Structures are given as structure tokens and as C-alpha cells.
Amino acid sequence: MNYSYYFVFLPILLALIYGIYLSLWLKKKEVKDVKVIEVSRAIKEGSVAYLKKQYKTVAIIGAVLFIIIISIPEQYGFGWKTAFGFLIGGSFSALVGFLGMKISVRANAKTTVAASRGLSSALSLAFKAGSITGLLVSSFGLLSVGILFFIFNQNFGALVGLSFGASLISVFARLGGGIYTKVADIGTDLVGKTEVSILEDDPRNPGVIADNVGDNVGDCAGMAADVFETYAVTLTAAILIGIAVVKTNVAATLPLVLGGVSIVASILGSLFVKLGKKGNIMGALYKGLVASLIFSLIGFYFVTKSFLGNGFINIFWSAVIGLVVTALMVLITDYYTSKRFRPVKAIAQASNSGHGTNIIMGLSVGFESTVLPILIICLAIAGSYFLGGLYGVAIASVAMLSVAGIIVSIDAFGPIVDNAGGIARMSNQPESVRKITDALDSVGNTTKAVTKGYIIVSAGLATIILFSNYVIEIKNYVSDISFDLSDYKIIIGLLLGAGIPYIFGSLTLKSVGRAVGSVVNEIRRQFKEIPGILEGTTKPEYVKVVEIVTRVAIKEMIVPALVPILIVLIVGFGIGAKALGGLLIGTIISGVFMALSMTSGGAAWDNAKKYIEDGNFGEKRAEAYEAAATGDIVGDPYKDTTGPSINPLIKMINIVALLIVRFLR
């Protein structure tokens, strides 16, 4: 047996053992408060019900695609191996999302209880619970790709099939969860805050349970499926470049080995997350991230030297570039979305002048937030290509995604503490508890934005590698093809591709806007027809709002998710391989810009509102808050529905192109 197996599968085993240990530790934490248990159970039931219905819908679509893939002969790149890869990718992606959600709803009430013992206790519990999801994502991602790689001896169809299955689930999970969470959030706020003037997470609001459910199905289940897909697709793309360009078994195996090293680094790094004397929550989380990056750096040096021998240094530095990109993206996204810095404060300041100036400043911040990440992507591509060609770029992409374990741990912390804050308010916990959960929630909002920025940039690098794979593959079947920008077909493809994220964005924003109305109408009905809700003597009918949001989210997610696939098929078979190549690049460029602008801008709008809630602006606070609340409502579907969903979208388009490459001319 090749000893590279040990570098891949032993870290996976270690991660699973540590994850089980943390799960048992979490299970022992008791919750005795009856009100806390009641609220947490309602959130759990709503979350599970939604995911079951979503997965049932996606399973039907997946079954049809599975039959199509397995029915096409293997000489065309399909057959049973590709179908098996598709099944593995889809199943693992769905499983990671479901388990991530289950962990989140198990930990939310326990975090609320831990907050009664102090900030350090609540932070520790929420982060350790999030670490379980982080370890699941990275270990399952490496396991799925590793199994297919070694069993099928680097089979192209099996690996691309796995990526397609993971991408399909990821798009639906991100999109469906994003629609759910924003429909519930906006509908609840529009009636609760604006019309009846009650606070967020007030138990008198009929939509409050649906709102908390949304945090789990969108920010946790959707996020876990998304990062799993990005992880698996990046590994696959790097392996295919290793096979096609370097043409050695070592080059194909190294991305998996780097993933294994980073799993160990993420476990070690998570042990460094501790609250310091200053009580800096974000600082505590960043200690773990920095430690993980350092451990990865050390591990990368030894494994690249061991596997590549004397010629290892350029590939090692390519991996270092990936780690540096990760660190820079965290810092940049933190700058544009945290309450501590100029962009968020500028939006809050603009709110003093009214709703319009808040929106203008928020859009400005969103546009500005794209510049530095794009420069980083360009420098990373240039540097890693100079060091190792296309394979160097692939290694940089893998290195960046390899620390997904600790990044997801920090991200999963967000929905857990968000729910904990909601439970604290709904169960009438003491002010001291709510103060701690609110502080954690404020940081959690930034960590969620940081992860989205990190994943979008990593997706940008990964899709460049996927496009390179497309160019390499198409030349195997159309030997005289060239991608010359003077060719009108390339120009047509570029323009059509650049339009896809805009079409997708329009459909998803329209879905949220259309669906919010049904939630608003139901909440208004309950306030009007059920006496005693506002007085607190009658409990609202929470389940009805949950059912409505579940129904509309499932309905609205299908068309936006399938339209891009149809466009790829139409362009590929209707205009040809050149136009499809242009479409891929056009989608990557406009998609990365849109996703970065929306996620950072939306998070900045959200934290500008929180900055004003903290008591800034004195006498002008009421007027500024109303304007900031409007900006938050606009930013919500930006940062939690459309922006994050563009990430799996651009990867799925490239993967579909790889699937049909043998049929193109």
C-alpha cells in the first residue's frame, strides 16, 4: 500500500474520533429551563421538517439525473462510475448539511444556559459545537474524493460526477435555505418592528420561530453543503490538473495529502480558541485561525519535501500563497463588515440623513469591497503560476480550501449564538444572559460574512482551474480549437456568461420579494384575529408561519437552480465549444464580483443597524435606526440568499461543461 493513503485517511479518522468526542461532550450538557427547552424544540422541529421536504424535492431531481447519467455509455464519459460519483457527491453534501443543522439546534439552548455562567463558557460551548460541523465538512470532503480517487484509479468521470452531485445539492441548499431564512426574517421584521413596534425575537411575534429556523437551514445547513462542495470541487480540479498537466501519480495525490495535513492543523488550531483577559470574542476565534494556518504551513513544508523531493520548493511556496490569501481575505472581510471600522460606521452615519442615503452608502461599500479581493486573486494567480504553472495555481487553491475545517468552525459558531440570543429573549432570561448572547451574536454576524468572502474567493480560484480543465479536455476532442478573443463566438459566450449571475440574481431576489408577502399577511392575520397576542396572554400560532415559509421556499428554489444548467446546455450544443468556453469565463468574472459585493455589502448594512442599536448617535438614534433597518432589509437577501448562492452556481456551470465536453464541437 502506498504510504500516501495514511496521510489521507488517518487524519479523517482522527477528525471523526474528535468529532464524536465533542458530540458526546455536548450531549452531556444539560438544559433544565422548561421555557428554553420549549423554544429550542420548536426551532429543531421546524428545521428538520424543512430539510426533509427540501431533500425530498431535490432527491426527485437527483434521481432523474442519476438515471440519465447511468444510461449514457461509458465511452462518452458517463456510465455507472460517473453515476456512482454523482450519488456519493450528492449524498455526502446532503448528509453534511443535515448533520450540521442537527448540531446547531442541539447547541443553541445549551449556549443560552452557558451564557448564565459567563462569556467564556458560552463562547467555548458554541465554538466547540461549531467545530463538529467544521470537522464534518473537511473530513467528509476529503473522504469522498479520496475514496473515488483510489478506488477508481483517478477516473475522470467519477470525479466530475462527484463534483456535479455536490454542486447540485449545494445550489439547492444555499438557495432554498437562503430564501427560507430571508423570507422569515424580513416578513417577521416588517410586521413586528415596523407595524406593531416590538423588538427582534419577541415571543409575541408569530414569525419568530420561523426566523430562528432560518438561521439553521440557511446559515448552517446551506453553508455546510456549500463549503463541502467547494472543498470537493477544488480537490477534484487540482487532481485533474495534476493528471493532465504534470502527468504523475504524485502530482495527482498531493492535493489529497495537503487536505489531510490541514485537517490535523484545524484540530490543533481549535484548541487555541480561548477568551483572553480583554474579553475580545473575535480575537479568541482568530487565535484558532492563526494557529491552524501556522500548523498547516509547517505540515505543507514537510509533506511537499517528502513527496516531491528536491524540486518541492516552488510547489511549497504556491501552497503558502493559498494560506496567505486565506489570511488576507479574513482581514479584508472583517474590515468591511465589522462595527469597528470605517465602512460600517459610514453606513450608520449616513442613516442620520434618512433611508435613501443609507441605501446609497451601503451600495457604495458593497462595490468598494470587491476591489481588494480581486487584486488578491490576481496576485495569487500570477504568483502561483510563476512558481508552478497551472499546477501551482491548483495547489494554491487547495491550500486555501484546506483550512476549511477551522473556517467552518468559526462560521457555524454564528447561527448557534444567533439562536441562543433568540432563545434567551423568548424565554425571558435575565438581562445579564441577553447581554452575553447579544455580544456573541454581533461577532457571529461578522464571522458568517468572513466565511462567505473566503469561500467566494476560493471558488474564484477553483473555477479558474475548472476552466483550464475544460480547455485541456476539449482539445482532446477538437484538436484545432483555440480561444481567441477576436472570435465572435467567444465574445457571444462572454456576454451570455456575464449575464447568468444577473439573471440568477434577479430570479432569487424576486423569489424572496414575492414570498415575503405571504408571511406578512399571515402574521398580520394572527395579530388581527387572535386576541391577546400583543398582551402576551395568548401564544401565537408559530407552526403556521413555519409551514408557509417552508412551502414557498421549496417552490421558489427550483427555477433559479435549474435555469443556469439549461443555459449551459443550450449554448454548448447550440453555438459550440468556443462559445461555451467564453460563457464559463464570463460567468466566473461577473459572478465573483457580484457575490463579493452582495455578501460584504449586506453584512455591512446589518452591522450598521447593530452599531446604532448599541446606542450611537444619541438623540438621532430613533431616526437613524429606522433608516438602518431599511438598509438591513435590503441587505438581507443580498448577503444570505443571492450572494452566497452565486458561489456554487459558477462552479456547477463549469462542472456541467466538463460533463458534456465529449459531445461538443
Side-chain angles (χ1 to χ4, degrees), residues 113-351:
V113 173
S116 64
R117 299 191 294 271
L119 179 60
S120 179
S121 178
L123 169 65
S124 176
L125 192 144
F127 176 76
K128 286 180 179 178
S131 297
I132 303 172
T133 303
L135 293 172
L136 279 173
V137 168
S138 55
S139 59
F140 276 32
L142 185 59
L143 178 63
S144 59
V145 178
I147 287 173
L148 292 184
F149 177 85
F150 289 116
I151 290 180
F152 293 125
N153 194 27
Q154 309 170 20
N155 182 269
F156 177 88
L159 291 170
V160 175
L162 179 142
S163 298
F164 182 46
S167 293
L168 183 73
I169 294 296
S170 177
V171 168
F172 279 111
R174 263 301 189 191
L175 189 54
I179 292 172
Y180 187 110
T181 185
K182 291 305 106 181
V183 168
D185 189 4
I186 294 171
T188 301
D189 284 352
L190 282 175
V191 182
K193 291 180 180 179
T194 307
E195 297 183 10
V196 298
S197 299
I198 57 178
L199 294 173
E200 190 172 354
D201 293 321
D202 193 303
R204 294 173 293 175
N205 195 322
V208 72
I209 292 295
D211 188 9
N212 281 281
V213 168
D215 294 326
N216 294 295
V217 300
D219 289 330
C220 196
M223 175 276 301
D226 183 9
V227 180
F228 169 87
E229 178 253 4
T230 303
Y231 191 97
V233 168
T234 303
L235 280 178
T236 297
I239 289 169
L240 294 178
I241 286 292
I243 295 170
V245 176
V246 185
K247 299 179 180 179
T248 66
N249 187 59
V250 171
T253 308
L254 186 61
L256 295 171
V257 174
L258 295 180
V261 168
S262 295
I263 287 178
V264 178
S266 291
I267 294 172
L268 294 174
S270 68
L271 302 178
F272 285 77
V273 176
K274 296 183 186 299
L275 198 66
K277 294 180 180 179
K278 294 182 180 180
N280 187 333
I281 300 169
M282 187 64 82
L285 297 173
Y286 282 170
K287 286 178 190 174
L289 176 59
V290 171
S292 295
L293 290 171
I294 292 171
F295 285 125
S296 291
L297 184 67
I298 296 169
F300 288 173
Y301 178 83
F302 285 107
V303 297
T304 52
K305 186 175 183 180
S306 173
F307 276 76
L308 301 177
N310 294 331
F312 81 101
I313 196 67
N314 282 1
I315 298 304
F316 166 70
W317 282 113
S318 296
V320 172
I321 287 174
L323 296 177
V324 171
V325 171
T326 298
L328 290 176
M329 274 310 303
V330 169
L331 293 175
I332 290 168
T333 310
D334 187 24
Y335 173 73
Y336 278 103
T337 60
S338 173
K339 293 184 294 183
R340 297 172 293 158
F341 302 112
R342 174 192 60 82
V344 168
K345 290 180 180 180
I347 297 173
Q349 184 67 48
S351 303

Side-chain angles (χ1 to χ4, degrees), residues 338-563:
S338 173
K339 293 184 294 183
R340 297 172 293 158
F341 302 112
R342 174 192 60 82
V344 168
K345 290 180 180 180
I347 297 173
Q349 184 67 48
S351 303
N352 284 312
S353 305
H355 301 258
T357 48
N358 171 281
I359 299 299
I360 292 169
M361 187 59 71
L363 289 172
S364 171
V365 168
F367 293 159
E368 181 189 325
S369 69
T370 65
V371 178
L372 289 177
I374 293 301
L375 286 175
I376 289 171
I377 291 175
C378 292
L379 291 172
I381 292 172
S384 54
Y385 189 89
F386 174 78
L387 289 166
L390 275 178
Y391 186 66
V393 180
I395 290 298
S397 301
V398 169
M400 184 178 182
L401 248 297
S402 62
V403 289
I406 189 70
I407 293 285
V408 173
S409 300
I410 293 172
D411 182 277
F413 163 88
I416 292 171
V417 296
D418 194 341
N419 268 197
I423 292 171
R425 189 171 295 279
M426 292 183 70
S427 60
N428 297 316
Q429 295 297 306
E431 182 65 29
S432 59
V433 172
R434 294 203 295 269
K435 186 177 180 180
I436 288 173
T437 56
D438 286 348
L440 292 169
D441 182 25
S442 179
V443 171
N445 192 54
T446 300
T447 63
K448 288 184 285 187
V450 165
T451 301
K452 288 166 188 169
Y454 160 80
I455 292 299
I456 291 164
V457 169
S458 65
L461 287 172
T463 46
I464 294 297
I465 301 304
L466 285 171
F467 173 73
S468 300
N469 277 305
Y470 171 79
V471 173
I472 292 168
E473 283 297 314
I474 195 65
K475 287 183 177 180
N476 291 331
Y477 306 101
V478 187
S479 57
D480 60 342
I481 194 170
S482 65
F483 291 93
D484 186 346
L485 282 177
S486 65
D487 192 316
Y488 79 97
K489 289 186 178 181
I490 301 291
I491 300 299
I492 289 173
L494 283 168
L495 292 173
L496 290 174
I500 289 178
Y502 288 90
I503 297 168
F504 182 80
S506 172
L507 290 171
T508 53
L509 290 173
K510 193 180 296 181
S511 294
V512 173
R514 188 165 49 225
V516 164
S518 58
V519 176
V520 168
N521 290 336
E522 172 59 23
I523 295 174
R524 284 173 176 168
R525 182 196 69 78
Q526 291 196 32
F527 278 130
K528 183 178 179 180
E529 297 180 6
I530 303 175
I533 289 182
L534 279 175
E535 292 75 19
T537 57
T538 303
K539 185 182 291 187
E541 296 175 347
Y542 301 121
V543 175
K544 289 195 174 181
V545 181
V546 172
E547 289 174 348
I548 289 172
V549 181
T550 299
R551 185 172 64 251
V552 298
I554 297 297
K555 177 185 174 184
E556 296 288 349
M557 74 178 183
I558 295 173
V559 172
L562 295 179
V563 164

